[in-house]
Amino acid sequence: GDRLKSLLGLLQKAETLVAVIAFVTVAGLLFADVAAREFAGNGIFAAQKIAVYATAIAGMLGFAIVVGVHGHLRPKVVDKLFPASWSPALDRVGDLVSCGICIFMGMIAADFAYTSFDVGEVGMVLMNKLWWMQAIIPYAFFSSAFRFLIYAAMPSTRPAGEEIET
């Protein structure tokens, strides 16, 4: 249990670090681009496109980060349908269902990124291969599925984060 909790904590820190770097990149590029337009008359080549890529990376990692702190939306209406004593079992079922959904979405996203790799799809501004950036999508889903699976198998590893009631 403690090793898994440590592994989940390390995963959370690594993903948060990458997301923060991506957000700082976005802010820095956009600030520099606007400053260059104001003071030099021209923006920085591809700054906005790179900022879009970094935003996508940060956003997809944000999904996994929220799962990692147990901060997702949760409909409370279902709680009223079952006795409170069933809550631990229902939490595990919910984690397994969420794991399954994330695996399914991860498989679709992996196929999407692989297809982009296979056909050699490139971005129009930088003419860069897009699959490497698209790979963050299946990663985020599979990372989240891993967390949900661990939470279902060992509920003591589930963070006590705050769910947003709906």
Side-chain angles (χ1 to χ4, degrees):
D2 288 339
R3 281 187 168 182
L4 281 175
K5 241 183 176 171
S6 294
L7 176 64
L8 292 173
L10 183 61
L11 182 63
Q12 187 76 7
K13 286 177 183 173
E15 289 172 347
T16 301
L17 177 64
V18 172
V20 167
I21 290 169
F23 272 125
V24 168
T25 299
V26 170
L29 280 172
L30 294 180
F31 178 80
D33 188 50
V34 169
R37 286 180 199 281
E38 289 297 319
F39 299 116
N42 270 348
I44 299 170
F45 174 74
Q48 293 174 12
K49 184 52 96 177
I50 295 168
V52 167
Y53 291 158
T55 301
I57 290 168
M60 286 309 303
L61 285 176
F63 176 78
I65 291 166
V66 167
V67 171
V69 296
H70 202 62
H72 51 277
L73 294 172
R74 181 172 177 270
K76 289 291 218 174
V77 68
V78 176
D79 293 349
K80 295 177 174 73
L81 300 175
F82 302 101
S85 61
W86 290 19
S87 186
L90 290 175
D91 286 346
R92 283 182 142 172
V93 168
D95 287 337
L96 286 173
V97 168
S98 296
C99 176
I101 291 168
C102 286
I103 288 171
F104 176 72
M105 294 301 293
M107 290 170 59
I108 291 171
D111 182 60
F112 170 72
Y114 177 76
T115 299
S116 180
F117 170 79
D118 195 38
V119 300
E121 188 174 9
V122 295
M124 297 311 293
V125 174
L126 297 173
M127 300 307 289
N128 61 307
K129 302 283 185 186
L130 293 177
W131 69 267
W132 66 269
M133 195 270 312
Q134 294 166 343
I136 195 69
I137 303 168
Y139 171 82
F141 283 121
F142 290 138
S143 174
S144 298
F146 173 72
R147 285 179 171 93
F148 281 125
L149 183 62
I150 298 301
Y151 300 159
M154 299 186 75
S156 65
T157 61
R158 185 185 300 118
E162 301 215 7
E163 295 170 332
I164 300 167
E165 297 180 17
T166 59

